[in-house]
Amino acid sequence: MLKVAKFGGSSMADAKQYQKVKDIILSDPSRKAVVVSAAGKRFSGDHKLTDLLYLCHAHLQYGVDAGSVFQMIRDRYTEIRDELKLNIDLEADFDALWQKMQSGISQDELVSRGEYFSAKLMAAYLGFTFVDAARWLTFQTDGSIDEEASYAALAQIAAGKCVVIPGFYGVMADGSVHIMERGGSDITGALVAAALDADVYENWTDVSGILMADPRIVKDAQTIKRVTYSELRELSYIGAQVLHEATIFPVREKNIPLNIRNTNDPSHPGTMIRETFDDAVEDGIITGIAGKKDFVIITVTKSGLSSRPDSIRKIMEVFEKYGVCVSYAPSGIDCFSTVVEAARLASCRYAVLADLEKSLKPDKIDVSENIAVVAVVGRKMASRAGTSAKIFDVLGKNNINIRMISQGPEELNIIIGVNNDDFAPAIRMLYQSFAK
Ligand code: ASP
């Protein structure tokens, strides 16, 4: 049994958090590979190490003395080392880094040092081997990860060892450090799990898994115990945010379950994410409810629209031309609606409308503003009557007008559009009627 455990910034914020991580790792000998983020915030108003590193680079770039920001970074890590009474020479590393900063360092290399120092400290604390991401994680020239080469390299380096690996960065073919997008350590964790053919990828954070609804809207929302990768895609597309989006691909490809856990509540089982579940042992019909405000619905009406084979293409071409993604597209015989995020339309709204006029010569175009989209997601809705009836019943009884409906035949989710003002009440009502 091999578990890969990735710890996010809040789990690495100070010596107290390091102790929690150690207890978690030592409580299960199958946790043999650990991936870490840079130190996160210790309290609200505190700084993330990665942010300080970006700031440091900005100072260098504009010729402002970076000394005091650099000292803050140095202090954070030496403080953790001293509190944990670790015998490791960070000073030499920091001095060398400062020298390099004076002679010119890339932003990527400087910013990657947060994860680098976290991993060095954690490796020393656990008595595990430190494996620099620069030794195995390689990027191709287009910025994508060279999975085959990276997996092979790590499998060889980590064989038979207990290792700690920094997240968030790797190297280009020429050896220069290259970082991922913000939050990228989640991806490194997934890559390590895939490379080592782990039995599970544990992603340790500061929440006990994914909640059935946004806790800012639904107080005491329950944790989702089990969610499939497809359900998670639906939920995160529409607002639920726990993992970096690209995290799931490496583990999904290899059918490795992903378990989201809470470093501050390690006895909580968290959320388990897999390709499929034996639903005989499952709980509710609904897995989660997510949503997003501020969509616009543009409806093109033209008599006979659906009997012209080129009309939908022409409409979509306009959105494509302006780089606007169409999220949903409900249609009727003589009309076709596109639901798009208002922010994406902001800079090109009049050009889009003008082009639709020109290309389609429609009878009319209607624009509905301030639309919120709510997705009720659940793999167990499939081939089962009654879920949509319940949704419409509860919203209808509470006088919430539904502006748009969308559901595909795979029945993974039911999407409804409501007015922005009805967004939070709709989610609360749906949660209450399905979760309790
Ligand atoms: N430290 C990086 C960030 O703050 C990467 C990570 O924590 O995943 O984005």
Side-chain angles (χ1 to χ4, degrees):
M1 172 72 108
L2 170 68
K3 292 181 180 168
V4 170
K6 181 259 166 179
F7 292 88
S10 58
S11 309
M12 302 296 296
D14 58 20
K16 241 181 28 229
Q17 294 302 87
Y18 272 60
Q19 277 161 16
K20 291 182 192 169
V21 171
K22 187 173 191 173
D23 290 344
I24 290 165
I25 296 299
L26 297 187
S27 69
D28 184 344
S30 57
R31 294 188 176 121
K32 296 187 191 104
V34 178
V35 176
V36 293
S37 279
K41 292 184 185 185
R42 295 160 290 184
F43 44 84
S44 76
D46 194 17
H47 304 290
K48 283 182 169 192
L49 240 294
T50 308
D51 293 337
L52 292 179
L53 287 160
Y54 273 110
L55 189 59
C56 222
H57 193 264
H59 277 70
L60 295 177
Q61 201 178 0
Y62 296 107
V64 181
D65 179 22
S68 58
V69 184
F70 189 71
Q71 194 60 44
M72 286 167 85
I73 295 165
R74 213 175 154 130
D75 288 348
R76 281 290 292 279
Y77 282 122
T78 42
E79 220 174 276
I80 294 174
R81 178 199 59 189
D82 296 344
E83 274 187 49
L84 298 176
K85 300 190 175 30
L86 296 174
N87 185 16
I88 130 170
D89 180 13
L90 289 183
E91 279 75 10
D93 259 340
F94 273 114
D95 288 344
L97 181 57
W98 180 253
Q99 286 310 321
K100 204 163 185 188
M101 283 164 61
Q102 306 318 308
S103 57
I105 189 169
S106 73
Q107 174 170 281
D108 280 24
E109 181 169 356
L110 182 53
V111 167
S112 73
R113 296 304 87 183
E115 270 68 13
Y116 172 85
F117 285 115
S118 279
K120 277 209 130 173
L121 281 173
M122 187 54 82
Y125 189 44
L126 296 174
F128 282 17
T129 306
F130 167 73
V131 175
D132 195 344
R135 288 180 63 199
W136 67 276
L137 207 167
T138 46
F139 291 89
Q140 283 159 329
T141 33
D142 65 357
S144 63
I145 291 156
D146 186 343
E147 288 185 0
E148 217 181 294
S150 304
Y151 291 175
L154 184 62
Q156 203 188 15
I157 296 169
K161 296 194 184 97
C162 290
V163 295
V164 178
I165 300 168
F168 190 41
Y169 73 93
V171 284
M172 301 298 287
D174 64 1
S176 59
V177 172
H178 184 67
I179 55 170
M180 301 172 184
E181 286 170 46
R182 295 300 304 263
S185 300
D186 283 342
I187 305 172
T188 308
L191 293 167
V192 172
L196 303 181
D197 279 319
D199 296 282
V200 58
Y201 170 31
E202 293 179 336
N203 192 293
W204 292 82
T205 174
D206 55 0
V207 289
S208 297
I210 304 169
L211 298 177
M212 275 189 77
D214 186 335
R216 289 167 300 185
I217 299 173
V218 177
K219 262 212 293 162
D220 306 323
Q222 293 169 26
T223 302
I224 300 175
K225 292 195 185 94
R226 289 167 281 250
V227 58
T228 64
Y229 285 115
S230 318
E231 288 176 307
L232 189 67
R233 289 281 299 152
E234 298 289 343
L235 288 168
S236 53
Y237 174 71
I238 198 82
Q241 272 267 312
V242 179
L243 294 168
H244 188 286
E245 259 217 333
T247 306
I248 61 176
F249 295 117
V251 278
R252 187 174 188 180
E253 232 169 57
K254 291 220 168 181
N255 206 11
I256 297 170
L258 198 169
N259 190 193
I260 298 177
R261 303 286 295 266
N262 188 351
T263 303
N264 305 318
D265 186 8
S267 59
H268 195 295
T271 298
M272 187 59 95
I273 309 162
R274 332 177 55 123
E275 197 59 45
T276 53
F277 288 99
D278 171 9
D279 276 337
V281 294
E282 281 293 314
D283 353 79
I285 300 266
I286 291 308
T287 304
I289 301 163
K292 235 200 259 194
K293 282 166 97 165
D294 297 325
F295 283 83
V296 174
I297 306 180
I298 298 178
T299 303
V300 175
T301 304
K302 183 180 170 86
S303 177
L305 185 111
S306 59
S307 52
R308 288 167 219 247
D310 61 348
S311 38
I312 294 177
R313 174 178 53 76
K314 282 181 170 170
I315 293 172
M316 290 309 198
E317 264 172 6
V318 173
F319 289 97
E320 187 184 355
K321 177 175 165 193
Y322 293 97
V324 177
C325 298
V326 173
S327 300
Y328 308 100
S331 65
I333 295 295
D334 291 330
C335 63
F336 188 82
S337 298
T338 45
V339 184
V340 300
E341 288 182 35
R344 297 207 183 201
L345 197 64
S347 59
C348 56
R349 152 185 307 237
Y350 297 107
V352 165
L353 294 176
D355 278 15
L356 286 172
E357 278 289 345
K358 206 160 113 199
S359 165
L360 276 298
K361 305 205 172 31
D363 301 334
K364 62 173 183 155
I365 299 179
D366 293 297
V367 179
S368 305
E369 311 273 359
N370 302 319
I371 299 291
V373 169
V374 175
V376 178
V377 178
R379 61 190 176 277
K380 291 182 71 190
M381 294 192 299
S383 323
R384 214 169 165 145
T387 315
S388 52
K390 199 162 159 181
I391 293 172
F392 300 135
D393 184 52
V394 73
L395 295 180
K397 278 192 178 131
N398 287 285
N399 215 15
I400 291 182
N401 183 28
I402 297 173
R403 306 284 309 273
M404 184 273 292
I405 302 165
S406 169
Q407 190 210 266
E410 78 290 355
E411 297 179 79
L412 187 61
N413 58 17
I414 297 172
I415 313 274
I416 51 157
V418 296
N419 292 328
N420 268 346
D421 289 346
D422 289 330
F423 176 66
I427 290 189
R428 269 194 288 274
M429 280 156 205
L430 290 168
Y431 178 84
Q432 267 149 21
S433 73
F434 281 105
K436 303 250 157 117

